[in-house]
Amino acid sequence: MGKHKRFVSLIGAITLGLTLAGCGPSESSGTESETTSKKNNNDYDLLIWEDVDKSEGIEGAVAKFEEENDVTIEVVEKAYASQNEDLRLDGPAGTGPDVVTIPGDQVGTLVTEGLLKELEVGEDIQSLYTESAMQSQIVDGKVYGLPKAVETTVLYYNKDIIAEEDVPTDIDGWFELSKELTKEDNYGLLALWDQIYYAQGVLGGYGSYIFGQDADGNYDVSDIGINNEGAIEGAEAIQKFYSEGLFPTGIIGEQGISVLDSLFSEGKAAAVISGPWNLGPYKDAGINYGVMALPKLSNGENMSSFIGVKSYNVSSYSENTELAQEFVTFLANEENSKVRYEKTLEVPAVQSLANDPIVLENESSQAVAEQSQYSELTPNIPEMNEVWLPVDSALQTIATEKATPKEALTQAVETIKGQIEANHSGN
């Protein structure tokens, strides 16, 4: 049989909105079942799980690798946010992929669970990537993947409401402008600051941190900076937007992201803080928007944000790990990363491409690249899983003024410590 490749889309079965909800073998679509059957019959050499609507970015690289190595590769599109959960089910069942693309902050958890294969890559390869992106793939000094792309939150503003030259450059300016624009169902700046993923941009700029780190970058889970003086000051700055009625109550809680997106998509918000994932949806909504790095804080510091790293990783259940590693190294190299960017506009993690004219000429990519300078890596250790819900809960009580920032954040830290002790004390 001649070499061939099939790009199978699972959009109908797994949507982009799915987060951390598994789809096991028994729930797979007919197309995926067919793919699994062919793999078991050795009809191809590698099965790759790629993100939804992103396979076109690697078509050329796949074809070249197939030709150069006389192998056959199957590429299946799966929702990026659910691949780690699907790997937990399909890997042990023998129906999983050889290569996955997952969030960098989940690497530590999947390594602990024995789901990822260590990669043998030297400093020459590791040095291709930005330091923070590469660090997301390292656990206890061992490499478990290579960075595919980086993303972080940026500011979207509606050019039909506010001209580029009039966009405030700091939070104080946005606070005052929002007071002018907030009337009836219209608003100024909106942000999901009741969630740590977004709020850390403010808190971190005042000196808050999740876990302390030693000189080698290892996290100290006993050192939690979520309720330090800086965190409290940052939370007080956040609380002002809620107490002044500048944020509608609808953007607090689980449905907040849908409300925020709807308000901006309907032209009722002058600006929102969101990520590159909304470039397409906001454009499709007909919004004439601009994109820039996040505004500065009242203390003069740049607003921080979490850097999200998408990576290519090899499943420990792969029956062809050497070829899978070779393919990952090839797929994530400079040449193929640049091509993937041109087709998907996902900002590459390769250092040399950060200032490449083709990246900088795009407004959104330039904004992500600029904001990344002030951003922090989401901790990639299992203990991070104990942080999200307690802090989100604390931030919601702050937003609704049911507790002071100090009270709420202190309680969150106590909860985190208790959960780490209960769930990770044996690590």
Side-chain angles (χ1 to χ4, degrees):
M1 179 179 290
K3 294 190 299 292
H4 61 286
K5 59 180 176 291
R6 296 176 294 273
F7 290 87
V8 183
S9 175
L10 298 183
I11 298 177
I14 308 174
T15 67
L16 277 172
L18 181 64
T19 56
L20 299 179
C23 175
S26 62
E27 300 171 1
S28 300
S29 67
T31 302
E32 189 177 1
S33 296
E34 179 185 355
T35 298
T36 298
S37 175
K38 289 175 180 175
K39 182 180 180 184
N40 291 337
N41 291 329
N42 296 317
D43 201 27
Y44 51 84
D45 301 284
L46 292 177
L47 173 61
I48 313 302
W49 283 357
E50 180 54 286
D51 194 6
V52 174
D53 292 336
K54 297 295 187 294
S55 61
E56 66 170 341
I58 64 172
E59 285 179 338
V62 168
K64 186 175 182 180
F65 189 86
E66 285 183 319
E67 182 177 356
E68 292 181 351
N69 295 276
D70 192 28
V71 296
T72 301
I73 296 174
E74 180 90 354
V75 177
V76 172
E77 289 191 342
K78 263 184 177 287
Y80 163 67
S82 70
Q83 289 194 24
N84 55 350
E85 187 64 30
D86 289 355
L87 181 61
R88 290 186 176 102
L89 298 171
D90 295 354
T95 58
D98 298 284
V99 175
V100 293
T101 179
I102 60 174
D105 65 324
Q106 290 298 308
V107 171
T109 297
L110 296 182
V111 167
T112 299
E113 296 176 13
L115 294 173
L116 298 183
K117 175 74 174 177
E118 179 187 353
L119 303 187
E120 299 295 334
V121 292
E123 287 294 331
D124 56 331
I125 293 177
Q126 295 182 46
S127 63
L128 292 175
Y129 309 98
T130 61
E131 183 178 354
S132 59
M134 192 63 233
Q135 189 61 39
S136 74
Q137 303 303 303
I138 298 175
V139 179
D140 294 332
K142 298 178 180 179
V143 177
Y144 289 91
L146 292 178
K148 168 190 177 183
V150 296
E151 62 184 17
T152 194
T153 50
V154 289
L155 179 84
Y156 290 82
Y157 66 95
N158 188 325
K159 293 182 178 181
D160 294 334
I161 297 177
I162 181 171
E164 180 179 0
E165 60 270 20
D166 295 327
V167 176
T169 58
D170 57 33
I171 285 297
D172 291 339
W174 273 113
F175 183 80
E176 295 302 323
L177 180 60
S178 292
K179 288 199 291 187
E180 296 177 20
L181 296 176
T182 301
K183 47 191 170 183
E184 297 178 354
D185 292 327
N186 296 293
Y187 300 91
L189 170 67
L190 296 181
L192 299 174
W193 284 337
D194 67 322
Q195 299 178 22
I196 188 175
Y197 179 79
Y198 298 93
Q200 184 60 16
V202 178
L203 306 182
Y206 281 95
S208 172
Y209 56 88
I210 308 298
F211 299 120
Q213 292 176 270
D214 62 21
D216 297 322
N218 298 309
Y219 291 103
D220 178 1
V221 298
S222 67
D223 179 11
I224 300 176
I226 293 172
N227 66 333
N228 63 15
E229 290 185 9
I232 294 169
E233 186 176 0
E236 290 171 345
I238 285 174
Q239 195 174 49
K240 284 201 316 180
F241 280 80
Y242 293 97
S243 61
E244 290 287 333
L246 304 182
F247 287 178
T249 56
I251 69 169
I252 302 174
E254 292 183 4
Q255 300 303 315
I257 190 167
S258 297
V259 175
L260 178 143
D261 287 340
S262 293
L263 288 171
F264 191 71
S265 297
E266 294 168 7
K268 295 181 178 180
V272 293
I273 292 176
S274 189
W277 50 85
N278 265 327
L279 290 168
Y282 288 164
K283 181 179 180 181
D284 292 342
I287 299 300
N288 177 26
Y289 65 77
V291 187
M292 59 177 56
L294 299 177
K296 289 191 174 184
L297 300 168
S298 301
N299 61 0
E301 296 293 325
N302 290 96
M303 188 183 292
S304 178
S305 57
F306 279 131
I307 296 176
V309 180
K310 293 184 176 182
S311 58
Y312 286 119
N313 308 79
V314 176
S315 167
S316 61
Y317 292 94
S318 169
E319 296 179 358
N320 210 343
T321 55
E322 289 188 12
L323 182 65
Q325 174 178 308
E326 186 178 347
F327 178 67
V328 165
T329 304
F330 178 76
L331 201 57
N333 69 21
E334 180 178 354
E335 178 183 355
N336 291 322
S337 292
K338 185 173 183 177
V339 171
R340 187 173 60 249
Y341 167 75
E342 293 171 345
K343 293 182 178 294
T344 67
L345 291 184
E346 288 191 313
V347 176
V350 176
Q351 287 195 63
S352 61
L353 296 179
N355 296 311
D356 191 290
I358 197 170
V359 175
L360 295 179
E361 70 184 11
N362 181 279
E363 181 185 45
S364 60
S365 299
Q366 185 176 5
V368 170
E370 181 181 347
Q371 180 58 37
S372 294
Q373 300 177 63
Y374 315 117
S375 302
E376 60 186 285
L377 189 65
T378 311
N380 67 346
I381 55 177
E383 289 84 353
M384 184 62 191
N385 293 321
E386 312 303 339
V387 172
W388 302 105
L389 289 179
V391 181
D392 284 359
S393 178
L395 290 168
Q396 287 174 21
T397 63
I398 291 170
T400 55
E401 299 186 89
K402 293 178 180 178
T404 67
K406 183 175 182 179
E407 292 169 342
L409 294 177
T410 297
Q411 178 58 54
V413 169
E414 291 304 312
T415 301
I416 293 168
K417 287 181 177 179
Q419 292 181 175
I420 289 177
E421 175 65 25
N423 301 325
H424 305 274
S425 59
N427 291 353

